[in-house]
Amino acid sequence: MHKVGVLALQGASRRHVEALTALGAHAVEVRTPQDLSGIDGLVLPGGESTTISKLIDLSGLFEPIAERLADGMPAFGTCAGMILLAADVLDGRPDQRSFGTLDISVRRNAFGRQVDSFEADLAVDGLRGGDFPAVFIRAPAIERVGAGVEVLAAVDQRPVLCRQGPVLAAAFHPELSDDLRLHQLFLED
Ligand code: GLN
């Protein structure tokens, strides 16, 4: 994967761009449908999923992104980005939309409020080099995982990192750790 888009409507896009660039990818910020041209994959960052959903609609990005995802474009959703990829969103706003690419049900803010943000060392299936230091910020919980979804890591037996075909999703913020292994995993897909 060479050229990777990072959805940059709201939230934590900059550190994703830095991580992807450090790994040798050509990272571009996506704000308009034109920005999607030529990208091989898309990162959907953390932030506020209700706001990002609204901005996706306003910028005319919903249909073009949905089409690319349906065509099998690799995607990496982190925190709010995972919510945007999920089939079912619990405790969402009624007008909040998601792409439904990943067969999981997620509950927003299920680990607690902002003050309850936490870090956890995750044992990630197939990842060499020891635990991944994961930063959770008002994280969503994955409450249901469909048959085609592989769980790669869990906290207290709750899935927090999963993959379905070319789509990878984390309940946490991998771009906030100085550890590029999950971005590397995404680029290798
Ligand atoms: N709580 C946010 C939401 O529901 C997600 C938090 C995050 O991305 N850090 O959209």
Side-chain angles (χ1 to χ4, degrees), residues 9-151:
L9 299 171
Q10 187 262 346
S13 53
R14 191 178 51 84
R15 294 286 296 264
H16 280 293
V17 169
E18 289 171 6
L20 294 163
T21 306
L23 289 166
H26 175 202
V28 293
E29 296 192 330
V30 171
R31 294 194 181 84
T32 67
Q34 291 73 28
D35 295 335
L36 294 170
S37 72
I39 63 167
D40 307 309
L42 181 67
V43 173
L44 297 94
E48 193 54 53
S49 59
T50 53
T51 307
I52 300 175
S53 166
K54 198 181 299 173
L55 294 172
I56 286 174
D57 281 335
L58 288 173
S59 53
L61 274 166
F62 193 88
E63 298 306 331
I65 292 178
E67 273 171 30
R68 292 295 309 270
L69 291 171
D71 284 348
M73 174 179 68
F76 186 12
T78 64
C79 205
M82 179 178 85
I83 297 171
L84 289 163
L85 291 171
D88 304 305
V89 178
L90 310 169
D91 291 341
R93 270 177 41 156
D95 60 346
Q96 165 164 19
R97 292 215 280 170
S98 65
F99 293 108
T101 320
L102 191 56
D103 188 17
I104 59 174
S105 303
V106 297
R107 186 175 299 280
R108 293 181 59 227
N109 303 332
F111 282 95
R113 304 180 67 84
Q114 192 89 33
V115 286
D116 298 320
S117 297
F118 62 99
E119 292 188 34
D121 290 328
L122 296 183
V124 177
D125 254 17
L127 201 68
R128 290 182 190 191
D131 290 352
F132 186 91
V135 179
F136 293 78
I137 305 170
R138 296 182 68 214
I142 300 172
E143 296 201 346
R144 181 193 62 85
V145 171
V149 179
E150 193 185 350
V151 174

